[in-house]
Amino acid sequence: MKLSVIIYCNVFQGYPRELLPVTVQGIPSMHICLDFIPELLSQPQVEKQVFAVDLVSHLAVRYIVPKSLCVARLAINTLSTLLGVLPCTSRALLFGPVLPSLTRMCKAFPPLVDDTVSLLMQLGRMCEAQRSLAGPQSSVATLEDDLNQELCRRIKEIFSSIIREAVLSEKVY
């Protein structure tokens, strides 16, 4: 019980996302974090939402159980909802860091591929629409334009990664 309280406090205080692969693999009871992720996803801070999606992706790969699938599906649905309400800059700050997490979730749970591809298609359409508003190679590129262009590029990479690692994978669970 004491360890679960410590993990809960650390998850909500946050720590570098780079440590997630190590902590998820090295701490056998990290699966209890699946209970905390819905609350983390509902936090208004983008950093906590990014952390929650990244955490669930690592937990999904480590613990391929129905609860992980449900929480991963919740994360994808939350991202879909946020996509419709976030302004362009916030959208780039949220989706840029979580794109690799989508590949991990799809690799762990191939049934999530359809929802994830739908999310990526919608995100890609929004990015391309934003790029078209900026005009053809405008002479004054803004930070928002740069973030959006980078996000467009990364969406294409992640789409290819999902196809390669989740759809065309020879390893069937």
Side-chain angles (χ1 to χ4, degrees):
M1 185 62 145
K2 211 179 237 189
L3 183 60
S4 64
V5 171
I6 292 169
I7 291 172
Y8 178 81
C9 290
N10 286 338
V11 166
F12 275 89
Q13 289 174 355
Y15 53 88
R17 288 183 15 250
E18 294 79 18
L19 295 177
L20 284 175
V22 175
T23 56
V24 169
Q25 291 298 320
I27 302 173
S29 59
M30 279 296 283
H31 62 87
I32 64 170
C33 290
L34 290 168
D35 295 332
F36 313 143
I37 289 173
E39 190 175 349
L40 261 178
L41 286 169
S42 67
Q43 297 296 310
Q45 298 91 357
V46 171
E47 300 82 25
K48 289 190 178 182
Q49 294 165 342
V50 168
F51 184 84
V53 174
D54 207 16
L55 176 59
V56 74
S57 73
H58 287 287
L59 290 171
V61 170
R62 175 82 164 98
Y63 304 101
I64 302 175
V65 295
K67 186 168 188 168
S68 296
L69 173 62
C70 290
V71 176
R73 181 169 279 132
L74 173 67
I76 291 169
N77 290 339
T78 301
L79 290 172
S80 294
T81 301
L82 289 171
L83 180 59
V85 298
L86 290 175
C88 182
T89 306
S90 296
R91 190 169 52 233
L93 293 174
L94 173 65
F95 284 96
V98 302
L99 288 176
S101 302
L102 298 175
T103 300
R104 283 190 294 275
M105 286 189 275
C106 289
K107 187 175 181 180
F109 299 111
L112 295 177
V113 169
D114 287 342
D115 290 339
T116 304
V117 167
S118 176
L119 171 66
L120 288 173
M121 295 287 286
Q122 186 178 2
L123 179 60
R125 282 192 297 268
M126 292 176 86
C127 286
E128 290 296 333
Q130 187 69 31
R131 279 179 64 184
S132 68
L133 290 174
Q137 303 300 326
S138 100
S139 61
V140 181
T142 65
L143 175 62
E144 188 174 294
D145 294 337
D146 291 342
L147 287 172
N148 192 58
Q149 189 168 359
E150 176 64 15
L151 186 59
C152 287
R153 185 189 64 73
R154 294 204 52 226
I155 290 168
K156 293 172 187 172
E157 287 176 1
I158 293 302
F159 182 78
S160 295
S161 173
I162 288 172
I163 297 300
R164 190 175 49 257
E165 294 185 31
V167 176
L168 299 177
S169 175
E170 294 178 6
K171 186 176 182 182
V172 180
Y173 294 96

